[in-house]
Amino acid sequence: MLVRSLLLAALCASATSALAQAAPDSTVPASTVYVRAGRLVDPESGQVLTSRLIRVEQGRVAAITADGPGAAAIPVGARVIDWSGYTVLPGLIDMHVHLADMDQSENVAEPLLHSAMEIAYVGARNARTTLMAGFTTVHNCGNFRAYADVELRNAINRGDVIGPRISAVGAYVTIPGGGGEVTGFAPDVEVPADMRAGVVADAADTTRKVNALFQHGADSIKLIATGAVLAQGTEPGQQELSEDEMRAAVTVAKARGSWVTAHAHGATGIKSAMRAGVKAIEHASLIDDEGIAMAKAKGVWLDMDIYDGDYIADYGRAHHWPADMLRKNDDTTQAQRDGFAKAVKAGVKLSFGTDAGVYPHGLNARQFKYMVRYGMTPMQAIQAATTVSADLLGWSKDVGALSPGHYADMIAVKGDPLADISVLEHVDHVIKGGDVVK
């Protein structure tokens, strides 16, 4: 017995010694991470800081201090991520994506060809691709199968799949046969009920359907106020939802502490949606001077996808997309860019939204150079994809910046995006919530 006791004591002492060597400083929590940033873009102040040390605790930024000679020492045994050779920015935000859906550009009835189960897998793939491109937060602006984005959001939050933080709308709120419907099929084809969850007949029906969307997990609401470029049988300049129907949606959303955005290309539909109380306008392609002044006065965000037009024109013609889609794209592309330039000069709030899904996911950052080309400074473009979009989401306390208290969502790129904004198209490293995902 004495020999056995001595042996056990020796083994315990050896184990204790090994543990002490593995973690010399037991005061450093396992969840604490230090990130060395060679250059740190701070969109809140509009400044670029050099040689910074970001301390992350429990997935959030705890402190940012100077790094280098004379700086406070990093505790022995702490986890350190060395991005001292990179420019570091907050994780980017895209306010207009379609993760859980199929591209219907070449076949408008494409959504009918895929099961809900397949859409789930496609959504997971698109979510991962988007995160790897540096977009750690997105506003998913609709899917034909209702609640596909809600379930994708929940799966990401549970850790089942890898992807960005998602604000989900659940489904499109649209008129029958409108820009948010699956169109282009034979008249005797019956569309599944889950593809018509947001189809409304009048203001009372809008109230019922919008309440149902919130009850089933939507974070905000997406209205289809006008026709669409990529939906057959609709025209971008034509208003579809009435002002009363849109106001009914806004009323429900406000009662639930939420907000509404409206897909609107035409000038009349844009102004009608703003009068109804929406918080943001998607596309705003044919906005007029009165609409720009109204957006400025009401504090409405414009979320203008000004890269899309070139992709549709080039890829669409090469792949023989329907002629009416290409014609509608031609009618709206330059007008939208001209409106964007006017909105920049007028000081309208402009978020970063790409309509990714129209073009391949992961290429979201291609829009930055267009925003700079049409009037923004590189810092303004970065702010559009960080602080401005976070404000629109209502998530400014959590995302869009790297000051203490925010989620530790950050990206690292080689080069200087303030000198060449296109470097954001090639993100080298991504951290989400303190975890390295790329």
Side-chain angles (χ1 to χ4, degrees):
M1 292 294 292
L2 179 60
V3 173
R4 180 183 294 178
S5 297
L6 291 172
L7 181 59
L8 287 172
L11 287 171
C12 289
S14 176
T16 301
S17 175
L19 286 171
Q21 291 174 13
D25 188 347
S26 60
T27 63
V28 181
S31 61
T32 300
V33 179
Y34 290 84
V35 181
R36 284 199 154 108
R39 290 162 49 86
L40 177 63
V41 177
D42 176 13
E44 289 182 298
S45 67
Q47 297 180 327
V48 180
L49 310 174
T50 57
S51 299
R52 286 300 186 268
L53 186 65
I54 305 167
R55 189 175 88 245
V56 177
E57 295 179 357
Q58 301 294 328
R60 290 182 182 265
V61 176
I64 298 179
T65 56
D67 195 15
I74 298 173
V76 176
R79 184 185 178 196
V80 179
I81 297 170
D82 189 358
W83 286 355
S84 56
Y86 295 87
T87 300
V88 179
L89 302 90
L92 303 173
I93 303 171
D94 192 332
M95 289 299 299
H96 190 162
V97 301
H98 300 279
L99 296 178
D101 231 334
M102 303 301 297
D103 178 15
Q104 61 171 151
S105 304
E106 294 182 48
N107 179 5
V108 290
E110 188 71 28
L112 295 171
L113 306 180
H114 304 272
S115 68
M117 187 176 295
E118 182 184 359
I119 293 299
Y121 286 111
V122 168
R125 180 194 66 204
N126 292 338
R128 184 183 188 282
T129 299
T130 299
L131 180 61
M132 296 303 155
F135 289 82
T136 55
T137 300
V138 300
H139 185 220
N140 196 82
C141 274
N143 22 253
F144 288 110
R145 288 200 178 272
Y147 312 115
D149 55 349
V150 171
E151 295 301 338
L152 178 59
R153 175 200 67 198
N154 294 346
I156 291 170
N157 291 347
R158 289 193 303 265
D160 297 341
V161 297
I162 296 173
R165 305 179 193 282
I166 293 178
S167 174
V169 302
Y172 304 107
V173 177
T174 184
I175 65 168
E181 278 254 64
V182 182
T183 59
F185 50 84
D188 59 346
V189 172
E190 186 173 348
V191 178
D194 69 344
M195 290 188 173
R196 308 202 77 227
V199 178
V200 299
D202 52 34
D205 195 29
T206 302
T207 297
R208 288 190 293 271
K209 297 286 178 62
V210 171
N211 269 309
L213 289 171
F214 280 120
Q215 288 162 3
H216 289 88
D219 296 300
S220 60
I221 298 300
K222 165 75 172 286
L223 306 176
I224 306 298
T226 73
V229 170
L230 300 182
Q232 284 191 347
T234 72
E235 286 295 326
Q238 182 178 346
Q239 183 168 339
E240 293 186 345
L241 284 170
S242 71
E243 194 166 316
D244 285 344
E245 288 166 335
M246 291 190 280
R247 187 172 290 109
V250 170
T251 299
V252 172
K254 285 185 176 179
R256 291 177 173 270
S258 186
W259 57 284
V260 175
T261 188
H263 156 114
H265 288 284
T268 300
I270 291 168
K271 289 179 282 191
S272 183
M274 287 195 285
R275 286 194 297 268
V278 303
K279 191 176 182 180
I281 299 291
E282 312 293 337
H283 306 298
S285 303
L286 303 174
I287 194 168
D288 58 17
D289 291 346
E290 182 184 11
I292 291 171
M294 185 183 294
K296 174 67 175 177
K298 289 181 172 290
V300 173
W301 281 258
L302 299 183
D303 195 56
M304 303 175 75
D305 52 328
I306 59 171
Y307 164 64
D308 268 357
D310 281 0
Y311 179 86
I312 293 171
D314 295 340
Y315 187 90
R317 283 188 167 82
H319 289 78
H320 310 292
W321 286 11
D324 68 322
M325 287 185 181
L326 297 175
R327 184 262 307 165
K328 289 186 286 185
N329 181 65
D330 292 342
D331 289 346
T332 55
T333 294
Q334 191 56 48
Q336 184 190 46
R337 293 168 182 177
D338 292 343
F340 179 89
K342 288 182 178 180
V344 172
K345 290 181 180 179
V348 175
K349 292 187 286 190
L350 290 156
S351 51
F352 185 97
T354 66
D355 207 4
V358 169
Y359 63 91
H361 297 280
L363 303 182
N364 314 57
R366 286 187 179 185
Q367 179 162 287
F368 280 112
K369 60 178 174 279
Y370 283 73
M371 298 174 86
V372 172
R373 185 181 305 166
Y374 286 94
M376 282 188 167
T377 66
M379 180 61 79
Q380 285 177 318
I382 291 169
Q383 289 169 327
T386 51
T387 52
V388 176
S389 288
D391 193 18
L392 172 52
L393 276 175
W395 291 3
S396 291
K397 293 182 179 180
D398 292 319
V399 301
L402 285 173
S403 52
H406 286 87
Y407 283 121
D409 297 348
M410 61 190 91
I411 65 171
V413 295
K414 295 174 182 175
D416 180 5
L418 297 178
D420 178 7
I421 196 72
S422 68
V423 303
L424 295 177
E425 296 175 22
H426 307 285
V427 171
D428 292 279
H429 302 291
V430 180
I431 289 176
K432 179 189 170 191
D435 294 327
V436 177
V437 294
K438 180 180 180 181

